[in-house]
Amino acid sequence: MLYLQHKIYQTNKVRKMKIALIQMSSKKGDVVDNLRAMVNFIEQASHEHADIIVFPEMSLTGYFTSAKYLPSTLTIESTEVKKIISLSRIHNLTIIFGLAETSDSKTYISQLVAQNGMLSGIYRKHNVINDETKIFTPGESLPVFNLGKWKFGLTICADIDLPELFVKYAEAGCQIVFECASPNLYGDRENRDWKKGYAWWKNNCIEKIGKYSLYNKIMIAVVTQSGRDIDDDFPGGGYLFSKNGELIAETKDYKQEMLLAEIK
């Protein structure tokens, strides 16, 4: 069952919204180093006068599916989480970031939304698949967030295969949904082709996200982890789709990058 929870935050009636999509590489279980990289991106986005910055799935903890990395999971009271939340006030930014989150003895793949120095809410991945099911619990709620005139929702990686989520967000009045992903590449690591991996994810987004945008008349932005960590490789890919299903902005390639786009 799906539940809609509305989180309201107003600031100067933002009419145009400048978004910063962060294509970054996160180290599995290295919260300190990941936090340092995220702070740098937040400062860059603030310098560019962005209204909202969006990080990939599990950006703070690194993406993992093995229980040996469970000690790196965080709660909303963790020092590192509070640090990012505080930066939303200091830089006057809405910050969307990912982590492996522990709550009530369960572990979730979560995206947190920080606004004005406060935690506005949490979206927890619905479509927990493959090895993720061994340690992560699926989420159920569909929180809707506000920034001025804008309403937005969140999805995480394999949620791209749940078109009903995008329908629900459109029905709730969202103008944009942020898809935050870390799709790891399969096959023999030594023979993985970065260009093919990048093309695979881009084509997957065009095929599915483009269709959801057109059908629901909403914008959808995709932000993806890139690079190599201890035992996984990620393709990268930052994309912005118009409500007509057109790809109107994208990252240059699979390297770390901040994609800036203004929507109205």
Side-chain angles (χ1 to χ4, degrees), residues 171-199:
E171 290 175 346
C174 291
Q175 299 107 319
I176 187 167
V177 174
F178 295 101
E179 157 76 358
C180 309
S182 292
N184 54 336
L185 303 178
Y186 297 104
D188 179 19
R189 189 172 199 189
E190 296 306 316
N191 296 317
R192 291 174 188 166
D193 187 313
W194 284 99
K195 291 184 178 179
K196 288 183 179 179
Y198 184 81

Side-chain angles (χ1 to χ4, degrees), residues 150-151 166-167 169-171 173-177 209-220 241-246:
W150 296 92
K151 285 187 177 182
F166 298 88
V167 172
Y169 279 132
E171 290 175 346
C174 291
Q175 299 107 319
I176 187 167
V177 174
I209 296 297
K211 181 172 66 176
Y212 303 158
S213 295
L214 177 61
Y215 179 81
N216 296 293
K217 295 300 178 185
I218 57 174
M219 289 177 284
I220 303 176
F241 291 85
S242 73
K243 64 181 181 181
N244 295 318
E246 300 172 336

Side-chain angles (χ1 to χ4, degrees), residues 9-258:
Y9 173 69
Q10 302 286 345
T11 175
N12 300 326
K13 296 187 176 181
V14 177
R15 298 191 179 277
K16 293 180 181 179
M17 183 161 68
K18 191 171 187 179
I19 61 176
L21 305 179
I22 306 303
Q23 179 170 291
M24 68 174 286
S25 178
S26 294
K27 297 179 181 178
K28 196 186 306 288
D30 193 342
V31 175
V32 173
D33 194 74
N34 295 335
L35 176 61
R36 184 182 302 113
M38 292 172 68
V39 169
N40 287 337
F41 277 120
I42 289 169
E43 291 174 348
Q44 290 178 44
S46 176
H47 180 73
E48 295 291 343
H49 306 292
D51 297 298
I52 186 166
I53 182 172
V54 190
F55 289 96
E57 175 185 20
M58 295 172 83
S59 52
L60 184 54
T61 55
Y63 177 86
F64 63 85
T65 57
S66 172
K68 70 179 181 179
Y69 292 106
L70 282 174
S72 66
T73 59
L74 302 171
T75 72
I76 60 173
E77 297 300 325
S78 296
T79 301
E80 298 85 357
V81 172
K82 288 185 174 181
K83 169 69 174 179
I84 296 177
I85 292 173
S86 70
L87 291 176
S88 68
R89 176 183 54 80
I90 294 170
H91 294 286
N92 193 28
L93 267 173
T94 291
I95 304 174
I96 301 173
F97 63 103
L99 69 156
E101 179 216 358
T102 298
S103 178
D104 296 328
S105 300
K106 294 181 180 180
T107 306
Y108 301 93
I109 299 174
S110 304
Q111 291 293 127
L112 275 58
V113 178
Q115 297 175 308
N116 199 30
M118 298 180 291
L119 177 64
S120 291
I122 305 170
Y123 173 80
R124 292 166 174 153
K125 187 176 186 176
H126 284 217
N127 197 20
V128 174
I129 61 171
N130 301 329
D131 289 342
E132 294 173 350
T133 61
K134 298 176 183 178
I135 55 177
F136 293 108
T137 300
E140 293 184 330
S141 66
L142 280 181
V144 173
F145 301 91
N146 292 59
L147 177 59
K149 75 163 189 174
W150 296 92
K151 285 187 177 182
F152 64 88
L154 303 173
T155 56
I156 299 176
C157 206
D159 289 340
I160 194 175
D161 293 319
L162 299 180
E164 64 271 21
L165 299 185
F166 298 88
V167 172
K168 289 288 185 180
Y169 279 132
E171 290 175 346
C174 291
Q175 299 107 319
I176 187 167
V177 174
F178 295 101
E179 157 76 358
C180 309
S182 292
N184 54 336
L185 303 178
Y186 297 104
D188 179 19
R189 189 172 199 189
E190 296 306 316
N191 296 317
R192 291 174 188 166
D193 187 313
W194 284 99
K195 291 184 178 179
K196 288 183 179 179
Y198 184 81
W200 159 74
W201 179 242
K202 178 179 178 179
N203 290 334
N204 195 34
C205 290
I206 290 173
E207 176 186 350
K208 297 174 182 177
I209 296 297
K211 181 172 66 176
Y212 303 158
S213 295
L214 177 61
Y215 179 81
N216 296 293
K217 295 300 178 185
I218 57 174
M219 289 177 284
I220 303 176
V222 181
V223 57
T224 313
Q225 186 176 168
S226 68
R228 170 167 286 189
D229 67 9
I230 296 172
D231 49 17
D232 286 315
D233 296 293
F234 303 94
Y239 309 110
L240 176 62
F241 291 85
S242 73
K243 64 181 181 181
N244 295 318
E246 300 172 336
L247 178 57
I248 57 175
E250 61 180 301
T251 47
K252 295 186 292 292
D253 54 30
Y254 49 79
K255 299 173 184 175
Q256 294 195 81
E257 180 183 345
M258 179 172 67

